Amino acid sequence: MTTTSAPGRLFGARVKRREDPRFITGRGQYTDDITLPGTTHAAFVRSPYAHARITGVDAAGALAMPGVRAVFTGADLADAGVNPIPAGWVLPGMHTTPRRALATDRARYVGEAVAVVIADTAAAARDAAERVRVDYEELPAVADATRALAPGAPLVHDDAPENRCFHWTLGDAERTDAAIRGAAHVVRHRLVNQRLVPNAIEPRASLGSYHAATDELTLWVTSQNPHVHRLIMCAFVLGIPEHKLRVIAPDVGGGFGSKIYIYPEEIACLFAAKRTGRPVKWVADRSESFMTDAHGRDHVTKAKLALDADHRFIGLKVDTIANIGAYMSLFSSATPTYLYACLLAGQYTTPAIYANVKLVYSHTTPVDAYRGAGRPEATFVVERLVEAAARKLGVSP
């Protein structure tokens, strides 16, 4: 709607977007548009297995190809002091996982990076990545969170029994159970909120450079929050002062949450830039994006809604199994707990609510916040219960 206002007043006025002219005339500047003198390109060697032990990496064939400058493995980064990517929200009793930029011992999901090739062109890097020989010992895998909890299921992490990351509850269990026992009507429903893959118009991209004279790094990256990138990379991953890393987010072509997190490729580009002394760029193709961009949701929920004789809500009990994938990500522990369970009342007055959430590892791409982050999942549960109750009772939703 277009509104008018008194001259010189902003409130209520129609404000023209400043950025549109350069976008629609092709003058936007995205990470892949930036090319520094001497830029090289990265291509990642990725696991074809959901779960496999890495018994050896042979890069001789790749290093012999024209234009190839280096091949790095997880051991190279670990030996140089590059630390794992931390989770952003950790509570006592929560099992956390060391997620490295390049896997060192085992690959735990299809697409996990095992090595990176640096070459003069993107095509040369991709060709050389196919010549890196990785010896895998394929291991049993589990992709479904409910099956991951079953006795004898393959373990994603040996020190996480039954693949449990965290068991979290919120609300008054006794009061909620009492409401359900005394209810005139109880509606039970099992819901699956399927896993989603983000797919922004612009795929993820990184360009790292190193200035030896000042020992400073610069990262151009498709980031929704470059300040988070700098903080986590400096304080936790690289172990350097923040003034030694500059993070630049140019134009970003979509994100919806998937470009907030710290990804392995960004770390590898910075490491390779410093090690080779040349800028290093990586741009994901669609297959890489589908495999490696943080996925969303993946909940299995059993819910009970209790109603009195006048169809008023008196209790809601929700049991959710949340699949967080192979590793914890930045917000993966907060999304199915505080960002989900706290919203289960929705727009309705419900005196007693109890949420029981189990965060579970599986041999799948890590899951994190996506498009609302927990709130859509909660709304889905509540509104499906409303529909189910209306049909059972023969009334309008």
Side-chain angles (χ1 to χ4, degrees):
M1 181 177 69
T2 302
T3 60
T4 59
S5 65
R9 293 186 60 185
L10 181 63
F11 183 79
R14 180 179 181 180
V15 180
K16 183 178 292 187
R17 287 161 50 103
R18 295 182 177 182
E19 64 270 31
D20 286 354
R22 61 189 178 87
F23 285 144
I24 63 178
T25 56
R27 290 182 288 125
Q29 186 180 56
Y30 300 87
T31 298
D32 193 29
D33 293 323
I34 300 166
T35 300
L36 305 178
T39 294
T40 59
H41 298 263
F44 289 86
V45 180
R46 302 187 181 277
S47 170
Y49 301 105
H51 192 201
R53 184 172 290 109
I54 302 167
T55 59
V57 179
D58 183 358
L63 290 168
M65 295 185 68
V68 174
R69 294 184 173 270
V71 178
F72 300 112
T73 66
D76 294 320
L77 272 67
D79 291 344
V82 178
N83 298 314
I85 305 169
W89 189 70
V90 179
L91 293 180
M94 184 180 293
H95 176 273
T96 58
T97 54
R99 183 189 184 187
R100 295 194 171 274
L102 300 176
T104 54
D105 56 347
R106 281 190 284 172
R108 291 179 169 89
Y109 64 94
V110 172
E112 182 168 11
V114 175
V116 60
V117 176
I118 312 300
D120 290 339
T121 67
R126 287 193 293 267
D127 289 344
E130 295 180 359
R131 297 288 296 274
V132 176
R133 294 187 55 186
V134 182
D135 293 327
Y136 296 103
E137 178 188 338
E138 188 175 2
L139 300 171
V142 60
D144 181 272
T146 55
R147 294 179 181 176
L149 285 172
L155 293 180
V156 181
H157 302 278
D158 294 338
D159 57 347
E162 299 179 322
N163 291 312
R164 294 177 184 266
C165 171
F166 189 44
H167 186 188
W168 187 87
T169 61
L170 179 68
D172 190 328
E174 292 185 5
R175 185 182 177 192
T176 304
D177 287 340
I180 293 172
R181 286 193 301 268
H185 309 282
V186 177
V187 177
R188 295 172 173 84
H189 210 23
R190 181 181 183 273
L191 301 160
V192 176
N193 199 325
Q194 78 274 13
R195 175 178 288 241
L196 300 175
V197 180
N199 190 18
I201 294 175
E202 179 200 19
R204 286 192 298 114
S206 303
L207 171 61
S209 71
Y210 176 66
H211 191 264
T214 59
D215 191 32
E216 293 177 339
L217 292 160
T218 303
L219 175 67
W220 288 263
V221 63
T222 48
S223 174
Q224 293 175 244
N225 197 327
H227 297 88
V228 168
H229 268 81
R230 185 176 68 170
L231 169 64
I232 293 179
M233 281 192 165
C234 292
F236 299 98
V237 179
L238 301 178
I240 61 175
E242 285 194 30
H243 70 273
K244 289 294 184 180
L245 172 63
R246 185 184 183 195
V247 177
I248 302 171
D251 293 329
V252 177
F256 305 104
S258 67
K259 291 177 180 175
I260 298 177
Y261 325 118
I262 312 303
Y263 284 100
E265 294 85 2
E266 301 151 6
I267 298 167
C269 283
L270 284 176
F271 171 84
K274 185 172 182 178
R275 184 62 67 92
T276 63
R278 301 284 293 272
V280 176
K281 179 188 286 189
W282 169 78
V283 179
D285 61 29
R286 288 297 169 190
S287 295
E288 284 182 298
S289 293
F290 268 62
M291 290 189 293
T292 64
D293 290 8
H295 291 178
R297 302 174 188 172
D298 202 346
H299 287 190
V300 177
T301 296
K302 293 181 179 179
K304 298 177 185 178
L305 176 63
L307 304 95
D308 65 15
D310 296 320
H311 304 165
R312 289 187 293 243
F313 298 175
I314 59 175
L316 172 63
K317 187 174 184 178
V318 174
D319 291 283
T320 294
I321 296 173
N323 188 347
I324 63 169
Y327 301 97
M328 289 181 69
S329 185
L330 190 63
F331 302 124
S332 61
S333 54
T335 301
T337 53
Y338 273 113
L339 298 180
Y340 164 70
C342 293
L343 273 292
L344 285 169
Q347 60 185 327
Y348 308 100
T349 300
T350 309
I353 300 178
Y354 181 70
N356 177 39
V357 182
K358 296 176 182 176
L359 280 65
V360 181
Y361 291 115
S362 68
H363 294 103
T364 58
T365 302
V367 173
D368 213 313
Y370 172 71
R371 294 210 68 155
R375 278 80 72 167
E377 294 92 308
T379 302
F380 176 70
V381 170
V382 174
E383 295 302 332
R384 289 289 288 132
L385 283 171
V386 169
E387 290 288 336
R391 293 180 187 185
K392 179 177 179 178
L393 301 173
V395 298
S396 167

